[in-house]
Amino acid sequence: MTTTVDPGGATTPDVATAPVAGRPERLLGGRYRTPTLGIVLVVTLMAFEQMAVGTVMPMTARELDGLSLYAWAFSGTLIASVFAIVLAGGWSDRSGPVRPLMVGLVTFVTGLAVAGSATAMWVFVLGRAVQGVGSGLAMVPLYVLIARVYPESLRPRVFAALSAAWVLPSLLGPALGGAVAEHAGWRWVFLGMIPLVVPPVIMLVPALRDVRPSPGTAPSNRNPCPSAASACCCWSCRPRRSRASTPRRCRSPTRSARPWWSAWRGRW
């Protein structure tokens, strides 16, 4: 809000730039319209890909002669997405949502290209796994982006819009995927989605430029995604409490004096 100084020395607010009191912020109004449409479109495309693939899988498995790998086209995507979600969480905390979101979308498009151009069933399964990695990397930064861009009063509406973005793919995804596979081929269910990812990315660019990492997320030298092996090593190398340091009230006098296998000696 700007002020105007009159000759008498009094200051009056500029009505043109003063905020209107009592006017609620709109999700599709002002500077929130473009990022909202971009986020909803990204979620819609990923939801459509998950819903439409079930319709074209029988045709894909017959053409690629890979009925034995039929289940891996779904389970591989799920396993890869779970791993990517864990990776994206630490990555977003340390460097912000921009890099993991863009890498996730590029990986998702790469998986679409690999699955759509596959000549063998194992290549198709690999492409589906790459899609899972891309969708997992992209979903977590979207939630971080919502927290950075939108005020607290608009965040419930954004989450409601994300939930609504699954409605149309759930209703129309299988039928539309079957129609595309019947008239144009099952490959275009994947290849046809590649150019559709470009518009939401362009809509998200202005919002991503304004996002900066939070002050408490400085990069560290620690590995952002500890592996299961390192976690097991940390668990096995944890400091063990000696029996002498255990409080007496937590130790049973009947069981601590003899090993656990001594109770079975009388039964054999």
Side-chain angles (χ1 to χ4, degrees), residues 203-215:
M203 293 178 183
L204 290 175
V205 167
L208 294 175
R209 289 177 179 175
D210 299 334
V211 174
R212 296 292 182 271
S214 61

Side-chain angles (χ1 to χ4, degrees), residues 111-137:
L112 291 175
V114 172
S117 59
T119 56
M121 191 62 183
W122 69 269
V123 180
F124 179 82
V125 173
L126 178 63
R128 290 283 297 156
V130 175
Q131 292 177 39
V133 174
S135 61
L137 287 177

Side-chain angles (χ1 to χ4, degrees), residues 52-93:
V53 69
T55 307
V56 302
M57 271 304 301
M59 185 184 303
T60 304
R62 285 195 303 266
E63 182 174 335
L64 299 180
D65 194 15
L67 290 177
S68 59
L69 298 176
Y70 188 97
W72 279 104
F74 299 96
S75 58
T77 307
L78 179 61
I79 296 172
S81 63
V82 171
F83 171 78
I85 287 173
V86 177
L87 177 62
W91 193 0
S92 300
D93 288 339

Side-chain angles (χ1 to χ4, degrees), residues 36 58 77 103 168 180 189 194 197 216 224 231 236 248:
T36 300
T77 307
V103 172
L168 285 180
V180 173
V189 175
I194 295 178
V197 182
S236 61
R248 184 173 298 275

Side-chain angles (χ1 to χ4, degrees), residues 92 96-97 143-150 155 211-214 217:
S92 300
Y143 289 95
V144 179
L145 184 64
I146 292 172
R148 301 285 181 86
V149 173
Y150 296 90
R155 292 172 190 170
V211 174
R212 296 292 182 271
S214 61
T217 59

Side-chain angles (χ1 to χ4, degrees), residues 1-234:
M1 180 178 68
T2 60
T3 57
T4 304
V5 180
D6 54 7
T11 59
T12 58
D14 192 353
V15 180
T17 59
V20 180
R23 176 179 295 179
E25 295 178 324
R26 299 174 55 188
L27 192 62
L28 295 178
R31 63 189 184 93
Y32 300 118
R33 179 186 298 110
T34 302
T36 300
L37 293 177
I39 291 174
V40 171
L41 285 178
V42 168
V43 176
T44 302
L45 290 176
M46 292 184 179
F48 174 80
E49 183 268 338
Q50 294 185 16
M51 296 299 173
V53 69
T55 307
V56 302
M57 271 304 301
M59 185 184 303
T60 304
R62 285 195 303 266
E63 182 174 335
L64 299 180
D65 194 15
L67 290 177
S68 59
L69 298 176
Y70 188 97
W72 279 104
F74 299 96
S75 58
T77 307
L78 179 61
I79 296 172
S81 63
V82 171
F83 171 78
I85 287 173
V86 177
L87 177 62
W91 193 0
S92 300
D93 288 339
R94 287 165 176 81
S95 61
V98 180
R99 291 182 180 178
L101 177 59
M102 299 307 296
V103 172
L105 292 178
V106 172
T107 307
F108 179 73
V109 171
T110 304
L112 291 175
V114 172
S117 59
T119 56
M121 191 62 183
W122 69 269
V123 180
F124 179 82
V125 173
L126 178 63
R128 290 283 297 156
V130 175
Q131 292 177 39
V133 174
S135 61
L137 287 177
M139 287 303 298
V140 175
L142 286 180
Y143 289 95
V144 179
L145 184 64
I146 292 172
R148 301 285 181 86
V149 173
Y150 296 90
E152 188 175 357
S153 59
L154 289 181
R155 292 172 190 170
R157 302 181 186 179
V158 183
F159 292 135
L162 293 183
S163 300
W166 283 84
V167 175
L168 285 180
S170 300
L171 296 176
L172 303 179
L176 187 57
V180 173
E182 183 178 358
H183 294 87
W186 64 268
R187 298 181 183 274
W188 287 102
V189 175
F190 303 94
L191 299 179
M193 293 184 61
I194 295 178
L196 299 180
V197 182
V198 178
V201 172
I202 296 177
M203 293 178 183
L204 290 175
V205 167
L208 294 175
R209 289 177 179 175
D210 299 334
V211 174
R212 296 292 182 271
S214 61
T217 59
S220 60
N221 295 327
R222 295 183 301 174
N223 186 7
C225 183
S227 61
S230 61
C232 293
C233 291
C234 294

